Amino acid sequence: MVLVIGPRLSAAGGVAITGVDLAAPLAAEPKARILDAFRDHHIVVFPDQALTREQQYGFARNFGEVEPSGQAGSKRHAVAHVISNLDKDGNPVDRSASPVGNYRWHTDKSWHSVPPLLTMLHAIELPPAGGDTEFANTVMAYAALAEQTKRRIAGLQVVFRWGSSGGNSIAATRNEPPVDHPLVRTHPETGSKALYLGNHASHIRGMPEAEGAAVLGELLEHATRRQFVYAHRWRKNDLVMWDNRCLLHRAVANYDMGKYRRVMHRSVVKGTVPF
Ligand SMILES: [Fe+2]
């Protein structure tokens, strides 16, 4: 097999890599090329990967410590976990209206003090059309800001809290303390500055809450303009991994969620404290 890195999928990022079997252990050379592509394009698509949940976990281990999907030591610990639109009886359910759902722009687990480096999804069952995932490049969005805005937001800290967005505290059903992260974070590998915000970003430390929420709202609108977005249209057995440090993402509710099944396997690799 010869690993092939395709052309960039959009101005905002993304690249497809073929000629590699992710179910097998990864040799040093393909691993280095995948890491380089991930650094340069932020979203890597591996089409036609047949992987068990255990094999996906094994692939994710190449990039760091994988967050457990169950209790430590449990049978389901070292596997990718299942995300779907199915209820406990296996029937499709429309949850797109949930204010804490994946349909709002977010970066994974931003309310954690050490949010993840990357997330990967493997497409198992898809609706006949739709069910896309969109990614917004927050390095490009930061770079496009006016110098005056860059100066105004330099050094600001965002208060992240699960279930809290834009100053509207909703369904605070999780008793987790808020955490502060820099609004402008530095990518640890490239040194690029990126906006860090989205759902679960509540307000700005030291600013009246409504004012901070308004600043976050304006920046989110800017960061998710079409020119900064790559929309991934899934095919069965795509594995997509993305960089949570410089991207926002959301699931798109563009299929009949009450009718069609959408099942993905997810792995999350631990990151470092944003700076
Ligand atoms: Fe997500």
Side-chain angles (χ1 to χ4, degrees):
M1 268 200 190
V2 180
L3 185 146
V4 177
I5 299 176
R8 191 164 165 110
L9 295 169
S10 76
V15 73
I17 296 184
T18 54
V20 59
D21 177 9
L22 304 186
L26 202 56
E29 195 261 339
K31 179 178 168 178
R33 292 187 65 197
I34 290 169
L35 281 169
D36 286 352
F38 182 70
R39 181 199 59 218
D40 294 344
H41 305 287
H42 318 306
I43 307 148
V44 180
V45 180
F46 299 93
D48 302 318
Q49 295 290 335
L51 289 175
T52 65
R53 292 169 63 192
E54 288 79 5
Q55 286 166 337
Q56 181 176 332
Y57 181 91
F59 174 63
R61 285 279 296 122
N62 285 293
F63 306 103
E65 189 182 343
V66 182
E67 298 196 354
S69 59
Q71 293 293 314
S74 77
K75 191 162 153 263
R76 300 259 61 122
H77 187 65
V79 297
H81 71 268
V82 180
I83 59 165
S84 75
N85 65 326
L86 308 179
D87 66 15
K88 62 179 177 18
D89 299 320
N91 299 312
V93 187
D94 187 344
R95 297 196 190 91
S96 58
S98 166
V100 291
N102 296 324
Y103 299 94
R104 294 178 173 216
W105 288 107
H106 66 283
T107 167
D108 285 336
K109 304 187 187 187
S110 53
W111 66 91
H112 287 202
S113 55
V114 187
L117 186 168
L118 67 84
T119 303
M120 54 178 75
L121 285 180
H122 184 219
I124 307 301
E125 287 186 64
L126 296 170
D132 306 342
T133 303
E134 291 182 334
F135 300 91
N137 183 326
T138 56
V139 169
M140 287 177 72
Y142 176 79
L145 289 172
E147 290 304 318
Q148 188 188 349
T149 308
K150 289 179 183 171
R151 279 195 298 274
R152 185 160 60 91
I153 65 174
L156 294 180
Q157 292 281 317
V158 179
V159 181
F160 285 88
R161 182 166 211 170
W162 187 88
S164 181
S165 191
N168 299 315
S169 189
I170 39 168
T173 52
R174 287 191 187 181
N175 191 20
E176 293 178 34
V179 300
D180 290 6
H181 292 306
L183 173 56
V184 181
R185 67 178 291 186
T186 304
H187 194 286
E189 284 164 42
T190 63
S192 301
K193 289 181 173 177
L195 293 171
Y196 198 60
L197 71 178
N199 212 15
H200 312 289
S202 171
H203 56 281
I204 291 173
R205 179 70 63 201
M207 200 182 275
E209 289 201 12
E211 192 185 330
V215 171
L216 291 172
E218 276 170 38
L219 289 171
L220 185 66
E221 197 178 309
H222 164 78
T224 55
R225 287 187 187 162
R226 295 319 301 179
Q227 68 263 40
F228 306 133
V229 171
Y230 166 66
H232 186 67
R233 301 205 165 79
W234 292 92
R235 294 175 60 215
K236 182 177 161 59
N237 279 341
D238 277 352
L239 184 136
V240 176
M241 59 187 250
W242 68 85
D243 193 333
N244 285 307
R245 302 167 297 185
C246 58
L247 297 168
L248 291 157
H249 64 278
R250 66 175 177 183
V252 185
N254 59 351
Y255 72 102
D256 187 344
M257 274 167 281
K259 185 172 176 187
Y260 297 113
R261 298 162 63 92
R262 184 177 184 271
V263 179
M264 316 289 263
H265 291 167
R266 182 183 195 241
S267 302
V268 175
V269 174
K270 282 188 182 170
T272 50
V273 176
F275 61 90

